[in-house]
Amino acid sequence: VSEATSVYSTLDPYDLIIPNTIYTFNNGYNLADEFEPGHGYWLRSNGYGDITISIYNFNNDLPVTEDRLRKVNMITFNDYPLYFGGNIPYTVLLSYSLPPVPPLGAFDVRFGGDMRYSKNGGTIDLSGIHKLDISYDIKNDEEWKLIIGSRVYSLRDRDDINKIEFNSIEGSVNLMRGVTRYTRTHQSD
């Protein structure tokens, strides 16, 4: 491209581009809002074919997807969000996929399978992190557990876990549903 242009100026007549999968790289992957001259981009495609990026901002057929992430839980690692819980349909899961793991030393946070969403949590791979600032927003009175090394953090509602020293550039943490214990009571007549 010869000048900055919106990703929505992309003509995709064969529906090749999977929505929400156009990324740029700047010390880590970020969703792209626009194409800029001299930068590289990664996108996930349904197959082979041609797309056209135009600086003329013509109205295109790139689908704008429903914001399903506002209804699910979120955890951020150094302001980079991952989403979990809720019920995002299987048919749109690829819209929450990530590019391949970046070069060693670059910032990256992802669920297994190169995803930024996981219904059931799981292992979160981290790289390029020396200090870790974590924030979270848990919906519907759910409880989740974040396991970092031997420490277990209970995640409920909305809060922060600040400035955790992470011993290496590469590693992983685990996110899992908390166990809710119910006490059964018996009433007699």
Side-chain angles (χ1 to χ4, degrees):
V1 292
S2 58
E3 60 186 69
T5 186
S6 169
V7 296
Y8 294 102
S9 293
T10 304
L11 181 63
D12 183 13
Y14 305 107
D15 295 326
L16 297 172
I17 300 172
I18 295 173
N20 294 329
T21 64
I22 300 174
Y23 289 89
T24 186
F25 186 85
N26 183 8
N27 192 35
Y29 290 111
N30 299 290
L31 283 170
D33 293 327
E34 63 182 11
F35 295 111
E36 295 181 38
H39 291 117
Y41 296 88
W42 182 94
L43 63 84
R44 185 173 292 278
S45 171
N46 286 317
Y48 298 99
D50 295 323
I51 62 169
T52 303
I53 300 169
S54 173
I55 62 171
Y56 299 112
N57 292 321
F58 56 81
N59 202 1
N60 67 41
D61 57 356
L62 256 190
V64 177
T65 58
E66 176 186 345
D67 182 9
R68 298 174 189 270
L69 297 178
R70 64 183 161 76
K71 298 177 182 178
V72 301
N73 304 312
M74 178 179 67
I75 188 166
T76 63
F77 295 87
N78 297 353
D79 295 324
Y80 188 85
L82 292 179
Y83 302 90
F84 57 98
N87 195 20
I88 293 182
Y90 177 78
T91 55
V92 298
L93 283 181
L94 282 180
S95 290
Y96 306 103
S97 60
L98 290 164
V101 175
L104 185 64
F107 175 79
D108 191 58
V109 177
R110 63 183 59 220
F111 283 110
D114 296 332
M115 298 295 288
R116 60 188 178 109
Y117 168 79
S118 174
K119 180 176 183 173
N120 297 311
T123 299
I124 299 172
D125 296 318
L126 307 168
S127 64
I129 296 174
H130 301 283
K131 287 191 178 181
L132 195 52
D133 288 327
I134 301 172
S135 298
Y136 56 88
D137 184 10
I138 308 296
K139 313 278 188 199
N140 303 320
D141 281 335
E142 294 180 349
E143 182 178 359
W144 290 76
K145 304 281 186 198
L146 181 67
I147 303 164
I148 302 174
S150 62
R151 296 196 63 182
V152 178
Y153 298 89
S154 180
L155 310 182
R156 295 186 63 96
D157 301 320
R158 179 183 291 216
D159 205 352
D160 298 313
I161 304 170
N162 292 309
K163 293 182 180 52
I164 296 169
E165 288 287 335
F166 204 61
N167 294 332
S168 68
I169 294 174
E170 307 297 318
S172 64
V173 299
N174 288 298
L175 180 68
M176 57 193 295
R177 280 188 199 276
V179 177
T180 305
R181 292 199 167 97
Y182 295 98
T183 304
R184 178 181 257 186
T185 59
H186 177 72
Q187 291 182 332
S188 58
D189 295 327

